[in-house]
Every structure is written in C-alpha cells, then in structure tokens.
C-alpha cells in the first residue's frame, strides 16, 4: 500500500512473497520475544485488530461496499476483501441454523506459503493476525464479531478455516449532553 | 460557487478537524461549543429523517438547504462524518466529499500510523492535501457568486 498522489484503478501491487516473508519474520520475532505460543497468538490477534481498524477505511474507500443489511452481506464483503488484499477467493459456508455464524474457507493461505511448524510450536495459530483483522474491521462498522481458526493447513487439515460469529450490533454514540 | 467550511467528526462525535475557506459570519462561540452544537444537530437530523422517512432509507449522504447556504453530510459506514457547507448552487459536492474521504482521509490519516484515530488531526500533510483537493474542486471559487 504505497502512497500515491492519485489512486489509480489498479493500486500498486507488491509481490505476495515479500508480504509472506515479512509476516514470517514478524512471527519469528514474536516467538523469540515471548517464548510462549499463547502470548504470540494473543499478540498477533491484537496487531491484527489494530490493522483492521485502519484497513477498513481503505476497504470502504476502494470497494465502496455500502452498508451491510444482514450477515450474509457481511460474509460476501469479507470474501471480497480477501480477494482485494490477499488475492485469494475463500469460500463462505457452514452457516449455523441461527444464521449468526459462518466459516471462511481458504484453499491456500498466502500468509503460510513457505511455512512449516516445528514441533514445539503446535499450539501456535500462525495466521492469527487474520482473525484480529476481521474483528477490528467489523467493529468499525458497528459489528462485534468473534473470529477464530478451526482448521489450519499447517496443522495437517485439508483447508484453512476461520469461523466467524456475530455477537452484537454496536450502537451510535449519543452526543454529550449539555450539563 | 463557494465552499465555506468543513467539519470532520469521528464515530463518537468528537471533532477531528475543522477547515475554513470562506466564512463571512462567525458563530460567536468557541470552536468546541460550535462543534458540539453541529454534531448534536447532525445526530438529531439523522434520527429525525430516519423516523419520518416514508420510504426505505439508504444511508450515506444527506443535505439540507437554507436560502443562504447548503449543508452536506457524508457519512462512511465506519461512521466518520464529513460536514461541508457551500453556497446553495454548488454542484458535485457528494463526489468531492467522497474524494476527500478516499484520497485525503484514508491516505493521510488511516495510513499514517503516527496519526492516532479518534484524536484531532494534526498532520500537516493531511491539512495541505485537503486544502489542495478543495481548492481544485469545481465547486470552489475564491469569490462567491
């Protein structure tokens, strides 16, 4: 995401590998700093949350998606965002009967392209930053959601699957009263 | 055609930025007071309009007009609000506000990690760029019609 005077139709793209490797060094550094996979998972989620809060503005500006009227709308837009930022098209599915929970299924995960988890890192949710980004971005558009990984190719699953659960709608702030 | 002034509010109603180009009459109160009044009015208008609307509303852009000026409100789905006052005849303001959001706010606030969200914007780059975009817009003219 480079800064340019005018935003062209096709924004300057960077090599996906550069991104993958940069993310890899971030995770490696966190593992060194924390020496505990749970802390790393938490940090990644937090970083993602902070990214999501800012990334949503870019998504709104670029894709001009409009407001969501139900969760299926939201799911479509998350799919669209994956396409825009990661160049992959996840499939959306596994809706629960209540319609407030769904899965984003990635056939390939660009974050984990050159990665193998060593044995002592089995608890690590390598791409946990994605869960944080989804949560942060949704919060900015008045939706509190939970996002977590339920399947990961790095752990031998066939696909990478992120589960998303709608928690509640956040309401508009009322202006401060004249006291 | 003229552009008078611009307020940007965050989702909690805090004023992030105030910009002025042509303003012949001041409100006679502090900028903070004025911003609170403005936000309160926007908030009320929005809920009033939503309640009274005889048709299903799609949110996003709202404008009202007095015989002297027109107020334009553009709100992103993330609830950042841009309020721009122009003279009554100004054209293409919706596009201008969208441009301010995509090319100025996103580029110089969202993408600037040194620019905290939910704090008044102090980035000089942002201010300069905003001024440039407004002055280049067709609705801007130094002398009011």
């Amino acid at each position: 995401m480079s800064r340019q005077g005018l935003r062209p139709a096709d924004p300057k793209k960077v090599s996906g590998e550069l991104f993958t490797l940069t993310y890899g060094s971030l995770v490696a550094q966190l593992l060194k700093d924390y020496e505990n996979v749970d802390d790393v998972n938490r940090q990644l989620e937090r970083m993602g949350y902070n990214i999501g809060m800012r990334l949503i503005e870019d998504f709104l500006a670029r894709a001009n998606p409009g407001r969501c009227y139900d969760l299926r709308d939201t799911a479509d837009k998350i799919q669209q965002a994956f396409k825009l930022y990661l160049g992959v098209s996840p499939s959306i599915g596994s809706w629960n009967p209540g319609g407030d929970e769904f899965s984003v299924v990635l056939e390939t995960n660009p974050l984990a392209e050159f990665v193998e988890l060593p044995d002592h890192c089995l608890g690590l949710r390598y791409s946990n930053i994605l869960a944080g980004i989804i949560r942060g971005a949704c919060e900015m558009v008045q939706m509190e959601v939970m996002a977590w990984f339920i399947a990961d190719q790095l752990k031998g699953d066939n696909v990478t699957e992120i589960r998303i659960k709608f928690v509640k709608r956040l309401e508009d702030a009322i202006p401060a009263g004249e006291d | 055609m003229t552009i008078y002034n611009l307020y940007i509010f965050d989702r909690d109603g805090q004023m992030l930025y105030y910009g002025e180009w042509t303003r012949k009459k001041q409100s006679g109160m502090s900028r903070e007071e004025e911003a609170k009044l403005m936000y309160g009015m926007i908030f009320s208008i929005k809920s009033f309009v939503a309640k009274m609307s005889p048709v299903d509303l799609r949110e996003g852009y709202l404008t009202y007009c007095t015989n002297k000026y027109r107020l334009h409100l553009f709100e992103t789905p993330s609830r950042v609000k841009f309020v721009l006052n122009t003279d009554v005849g100004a054209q293409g303001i919706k596009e201008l506000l969208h441009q301010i959001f995509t090319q100025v706010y996103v580029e110089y606030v969202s993408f600037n990690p040194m620019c905290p969200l939910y704090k008044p914007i102090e980035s000089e780059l942002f201010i300069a760029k905003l001024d440039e975009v407004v002055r280049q817009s067709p609705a801007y003219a130094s002398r009011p019609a």
Side-chain angles (χ1 to χ4, degrees):
Chain A
M1 262 160 281
S2 64
R3 176 169 294 167
Q4 287 152 309
L6 279 174
R7 195 188 289 282
D10 190 22
K12 208 178 195 175
K13 286 190 171 157
V14 296
S15 145
E17 291 185 3
L18 177 65
F19 175 59
T20 306
L21 295 174
T22 311
Y23 183 68
S25 50
L26 170 73
V27 177
Q29 186 64 47
L30 285 174
L31 278 168
K32 220 177 274 168
D33 290 350
Y34 286 94
E35 297 167 343
N36 173 344
V37 286
D38 291 332
D39 286 342
V40 174
N41 289 341
R42 211 167 303 127
Q43 278 302 323
L44 285 173
E45 214 270 352
R46 241 192 67 194
M47 288 177 175
Y49 176 75
N50 289 325
I51 293 175
M53 285 172 77
R54 286 175 183 262
L55 196 62
I56 184 72
E57 303 286 1
D58 182 60
F59 180 64
L60 296 173
R62 237 182 251 234
N64 203 1
R67 189 166 290 280
C68 294
Y69 292 91
D70 60 24
L71 199 61
R72 278 172 201 272
D73 258 4
T74 313
D76 285 347
K77 279 158 195 172
I78 289 177
Q79 190 180 26
Q80 195 185 343
F82 266 93
K83 180 99 192 85
L84 185 63
Y85 292 112
L86 289 176
V88 291
S89 297
S91 52
I92 303 288
S94 314
W95 286 87
N96 72 337
D100 64 351
E101 219 180 298
F102 62 94
S103 287
V104 176
V105 180
L106 292 160
E107 298 282 335
T108 54
N109 177 0
L111 285 183
E113 212 163 314
F114 312 108
V115 181
E116 253 177 62
L117 283 188
D119 288 340
H120 66 278
C121 288
L122 284 180
L124 177 69
R125 291 194 289 274
Y126 184 83
S127 312
N128 215 26
I129 202 161
L130 292 179
I133 292 177
I134 292 173
R135 184 169 72 87
C138 285
E139 188 176 306
M140 296 299 281
V141 286
Q142 274 69 48
M143 290 174 56
E144 191 178 326
V145 301
M146 292 196 296
W148 67 97
F149 280 82
I150 56 172
D152 193 338
Q153 279 156 323
L154 290 179
K155 294 177 185 162
D157 298 308
N158 282 331
V159 291
T160 299
E161 184 169 351
I162 309 171
R163 193 80 181 149
I164 296 174
K165 182 179 170 53
F166 175 78
V167 182
K168 65 170 190 234
R169 257 194 88 77
L170 304 165
E171 291 303 329
D172 236 0
I174 316 171
E178 295 283 315
D179 296 321
Chain B
M1 292 199 285
T2 327
I3 287 171
Y4 296 131
N5 55 359
L6 170 77
Y7 303 80
I8 303 176
F9 295 100
D10 72 6
R11 59 174 180 178
D12 302 318
Q14 191 195 178
M15 184 162 72
L16 294 180
Y17 186 72
Y18 174 78
E20 191 175 293
W21 287 271
T22 322
R23 183 169 179 175
K24 292 177 189 149
K25 187 182 152 297
Q26 296 292 335
S27 59
M29 55 179 107
S30 75
R31 194 70 75 214
E32 289 72 38
E33 287 287 300
E34 190 184 296
K36 273 190 202 164
L37 266 184
M38 176 58 93
Y39 185 77
M41 182 192 68
I42 295 294
F43 189 89
S44 312
I45 287 188
K46 269 180 53 194
S47 54
F48 175 80
V49 165
K51 281 212 180 67
M52 301 313 263
S53 171
V55 290
D56 230 2
L57 271 188
R58 296 263 150 172
E59 294 168 75
Y61 180 69
L62 205 136
T63 156
Y64 76 72
C65 188
T66 71
N67 52 2
K68 286 292 188 192
Y69 76 102
R70 180 183 281 278
L71 176 143
H72 310 253
L73 165 67
F74 169 70
E75 183 177 10
T76 70
S78 54
R79 305 285 162 124
V80 182
K81 294 174 185 67
F82 298 83
V83 178
L84 187 76
N85 287 314
T86 67
D87 67 318
V88 290
Q91 301 285 315
I93 299 298
K94 188 178 179 179
E95 291 70 29
L96 172 64
L97 285 170
H98 195 255
Q99 193 188 4
I100 289 175
F101 171 58
T102 57
Q103 286 172 20
V104 186
Y105 182 81
V106 170
E107 295 271 335
Y108 298 99
V109 177
S110 296
F111 284 175
N112 181 354
M114 300 308 286
C115 215
L117 305 171
Y118 315 126
K119 290 263 173 61
I121 300 167
E122 282 164 4
S123 156
E124 308 232 332
L125 204 54
F126 168 85
I127 296 169
K129 194 72 192 165
L130 175 67
D131 193 58
E132 186 189 319
V133 167
V134 169
R135 281 179 200 277
Q136 276 172 2
S137 75
Y140 183 87
S142 49
R143 211 170 299 117

